[in-house]
Structure formats: C-alpha cells, structure tokens
Amino acid sequence: MSTAEAEVLALIENRMQAVREKDVDKAMQFFSANVLCFDVVGPLRLTGADAVRKRVEEWFTSFDGPIDFAMSELHIEVSDDLAYSHSLNHVKAAKTDGIVMDMWWRSTVGYRKFSGGWVILHEHNSVPFNAKSGKVSFDLKP
C-alpha cells in the first residue's frame, strides 16, 4: 500500500469512528467546504459543508445510542492528488422511535489532497430498488 493509499484509508477509518461515536465535528473535518453529496435520502443533492453538516446532525440524532457502522469490499485508488473509494456500507442501530435500522448501501467517495491533507470532494450513496415494484431493496446483503 502506498503512503497516499494509507492516508486515504486513515481518513476513512477516522470517519467511520466519528460515525460510530455520532461526533458531528469529527465527521465534518473530512469534508471540503464545497463538497457535493448525493445521499440515500432527499434532497437530490447536498452542496457545501453546511448542507452536509445539517444532514449529518439529523442522521446522528435519529439514533438512540451508538451506531454500528462498517464497510465491506472497500477499494481505494489513488493518483497524485486525486483518489476515490467504493464500498458496501452497513449500519445497524436503534432509532429514537424504537425501530432498529439494519441497512446496506453502496458508496463512492472522491478525495483530493490539499496542503498535504486529503478531503472529501464528492460522495455518492445509493440503495438499489426493485424495478418491478418501484420499492427500495433494503433486504439486500453482500
């Protein structure tokens, strides 16, 4: 693994820990100010760190207690000051309404190295859907 790949992996692992701890400030330190995010919920896009922060705060406060968050099949590619990763992500946690969320989704993240550190420029998360029923396929697992 190259130094750049190790740096991106460290960012990913630190971000996963921030999610598990529901630490908004720690989670946000990895995003560029002008990040563009396509999330699994509306709106169609989130533009800028302020919009992403609001979404992260809403997501974290929707859970009662810690979030069990993991990535599977993580792949990282790095070239000079650009990188991307893709993975299958999993969350299992109790929501504040008592429902336990147990969900897998696909994630692709784009990174850029600025002033010696990597930041997230773009993130795209998606959940497959059943084309016949039009409903989201929450029951898929790797």
Side-chain angles (χ1 to χ4, degrees):
M1 177 177 291
S2 72
T3 300
E5 287 172 311
E7 291 169 350
V8 172
L9 179 59
L11 181 155
I12 292 167
E13 290 174 341
N14 286 327
R15 184 173 175 219
M16 285 181 11
Q17 190 60 37
V19 170
R20 291 180 189 124
E21 296 169 355
K22 299 191 309 187
D23 186 331
V24 174
D25 291 331
K26 184 176 180 180
M28 290 307 301
Q29 74 182 355
F30 307 111
F31 288 95
S32 167
N34 61 346
V35 63
L36 176 65
C37 183
F38 301 131
D39 205 357
V40 295
V41 298
L44 287 175
R45 69 183 159 276
L46 299 168
T47 305
D50 290 341
V52 171
R53 174 180 281 278
K54 182 178 179 197
R55 170 68 184 123
V56 169
E57 289 170 346
E58 290 170 356
W59 191 52
F60 286 177
T61 60
S62 73
F63 294 105
D64 184 25
I67 299 171
D68 181 7
F69 176 54
M71 291 182 173
S72 177
E73 301 178 31
L74 175 64
H75 179 80
I76 301 169
E77 285 288 331
V78 178
S79 176
D80 299 322
D81 64 346
L82 294 173
Y84 77 90
S85 67
H86 59 79
S87 58
L88 298 175
N89 296 354
H90 180 248
V91 162
K92 185 171 183 181
K95 299 191 52 88
T96 57
D97 62 7
I99 295 172
V100 174
M101 176 185 279
D102 188 355
M103 176 181 161
W104 285 91
W105 72 94
R106 307 171 291 200
S107 184
T108 302
V109 182
Y111 311 86
R112 184 151 193 188
K113 191 170 191 175
F114 288 108
S115 303
W118 292 93
V119 293
I120 297 169
L121 288 179
H122 178 85
E123 181 172 31
H124 188 129
N125 298 304
S126 65
V127 178
F129 75 98
N130 181 305
K132 290 182 182 179
S133 70
K135 294 184 180 185
V136 176
S137 302
F138 284 119
D139 58 336
L140 297 178
K141 294 174 178 44

